[in-house]
Amino acid sequence: MKILGIETSCDETAAAVVEDGVGILSNQIASQVEIHARYGGIVPEVASRQHILAIIPTIEQALAEAKATWSDLAGIAVTIGPGLAGSLLVGVNVAKAIAIAHRLPITAVNHLEGHIYACWLAGRSIDFPLVCLIVSGGHSDLVLMRGHGDYVVLGRTRDDASGEAFDKAARILGLGYPGGPAIEQAASNGTAFIQLPRAWLKGTNDFSFSGVKTALLRLVEGGKVALSASQGGELPTRVDAAASFQEAVIDVLVTKTVAVVKEYRVKQILLVGGVAANKSLRKRLMADSPIPGLVPEPVLCTDNAAMIAACGYYHFQAGRIDALEMDVIPGFKLA
Ligand code: KG4
Ligand code: ZN
């Protein structure tokens, strides 16, 4: 069963063909990162215009790479939220047009659920119940998954998402955009010796990352981090600050996830979303987890359409076909 996945929730125009929820036949991603880098962050209006330009060629490339024709497809899976309304609209309307033209069933996918299903693309066995740590630009959620499509959100961020915190920290340190990979790269040359605060929010499974970001900002504003070679001296450097920031965020994410794993006695732990591409986070969670863990390869952690198609396969298996009247839901919740 070949499913065409379409993903346009943020700044990547993506299309993929996946067979039976596990076999990636194609995975095309048209990135807008260079365009948004000029502005230091995503400009929603620019993103939706770029999606309009890129969506048809990207879908055509996905079909060509998969050596598939329209008649080979069993259905379409498309992200309807959460995400930027103008961006989501492009993918959803193109998916509807294809569904009408080629008489294909369509299923609406929650972007966060899509991130979780990136794990099924690894082809390994996955045992329920499990805990998922979803860490992206817009979310930091701890989710108990009891079966396909069965989610209980145990905790979420109360302010900045972890990816958002990485992006803001990179801006504070003048490391550019997107911030996550920039911080990771800088951190690999630094030493994490600056004590930055960790918000434990004891008694809850929630996260908070605005405090650590503000603490970093205060240090930089107070001239306590050497941002140029001329400052030098005894001060910690930009790369030390990046390493310290990264360690503080990872410390909280991993400690709280391991606590939830123990409390709910789950069988497996999944780490997903753009921030899951971070090697230090992957390593630390796998080292500290008392149970088997699974992290998709980095290209399947950041936004892509293969994960949407994989998720769509399980929707179709469960008979979940959506009407063409369906609309985007920018604030779509997982459970
Ligand atoms: O899942 P994603 O591609 O898009 C959203 O759904 O938001 O996640 C993007 C986020 C960005 O904040 C980006 O800085 C972060 O993931 N990210 C990383 C890394 N790669 C991407 N954060 C830390 N380390 C990375 N290597
Ligand atoms: Zn995402």
Side-chain angles (χ1 to χ4, degrees):
M1 186 178 188
K2 293 188 178 79
I3 308 292
L4 171 67
I6 298 175
E7 153 65 42
T8 62
S9 67
C10 195
D11 62 338
E12 318 278 12
T13 315
V17 179
V18 170
E19 186 147 37
D20 297 334
V22 290
I24 301 178
L25 302 183
S26 64
N27 189 21
Q28 293 287 330
I29 303 170
S31 175
Q32 305 176 7
V33 73
E34 280 174 23
I35 298 164
H36 297 287
R38 278 186 238 148
Y39 306 100
I42 296 163
V43 184
E45 291 79 4
V46 174
S48 57
R49 279 163 195 263
Q50 288 302 318
H51 283 307
I52 290 169
L53 294 174
I55 187 77
I56 301 292
T58 305
I59 291 172
E60 284 172 349
Q61 283 159 10
L63 286 174
E65 188 195 349
K67 298 190 174 50
T69 60
W70 296 114
S71 57
D72 294 329
L73 298 177
I76 304 167
V78 63
T79 306
I80 61 159
L84 301 168
S87 292
L88 290 163
L89 273 168
V90 178
V92 168
N93 282 311
V94 167
K96 286 182 186 180
I98 295 171
I100 294 167
H102 299 286
R103 295 173 194 271
L104 287 167
I106 192 166
T107 190
V109 173
N110 180 306
H111 180 76
L112 301 173
E113 189 181 21
H115 272 303
I116 294 173
Y117 275 85
C119 294
W120 270 260
L121 294 166
R124 303 235 308 264
S125 76
I126 296 181
D127 295 326
F128 298 114
L130 55 84
V131 155
C132 269
L133 174 62
I134 309 175
V135 276
S136 70
H139 293 81
S140 298
D141 293 349
L142 266 171
V143 178
L144 174 67
M145 187 175 181
R146 296 178 294 202
H148 287 292
D150 180 358
Y151 310 102
V152 181
V153 178
L154 304 173
R156 51 166 54 100
T157 183
R158 294 193 182 171
D159 39 56
D160 292 348
S162 48
E164 185 183 0
F166 269 95
D167 292 335
K168 288 177 176 171
R171 201 174 307 157
I172 291 167
L173 293 172
L175 289 168
Y177 171 88
I183 292 270
E184 176 169 24
Q185 166 66 30
S188 66
N189 296 314
T191 312
F193 63 83
I194 309 172
Q195 274 307 314
L196 290 171
R198 276 99 163 127
W200 295 112
L201 304 181
K202 290 241 161 65
T204 79
N205 299 313
D206 286 348
F207 299 107
S208 164
F209 296 108
S210 70
V212 60
K213 169 205 69 189
T214 307
L216 181 70
L217 180 63
R218 296 277 175 271
L219 284 179
V220 171
E221 284 178 343
K224 305 230 166 58
V225 177
L227 293 184
S228 66
S230 60
Q231 283 179 284
E234 298 292 296
L235 289 179
T237 62
R238 194 197 305 260
V239 290
D240 299 325
S244 306
F245 175 85
Q246 177 174 272
E247 185 167 291
V249 172
I250 291 176
D251 199 12
V252 174
L253 286 173
V254 171
T255 306
K256 298 205 72 153
T257 304
V258 169
V260 159
V261 161
K262 289 181 180 157
E263 184 183 346
Y264 287 86
R265 296 163 185 257
V266 292
K267 295 188 178 144
Q268 212 161 9
I269 182 166
L270 309 183
L271 171 63
V272 304
V275 182
N278 186 287
K279 289 185 219 65
S280 302
L281 172 60
R282 299 161 78 94
K283 210 166 134 193
R284 168 91 188 268
L285 186 63
M286 294 310 137
D288 287 13
S289 173
I291 52 167
L294 187 55
V295 198
E297 58 175 301
V299 70
L300 297 174
C301 289
T302 45
D303 288 350
N304 66 86
M307 67 185 195
I308 305 301
C311 183
Y313 170 78
Y314 287 94
H315 283 198
F316 285 125
Q317 291 293 305
R320 283 179 54 187
I321 295 174
D322 284 279
L324 288 172
E325 288 72 30
M326 70 165 181
D327 204 354
V328 301
I329 310 177
F332 203 7
K333 297 261 186 299
L334 192 58

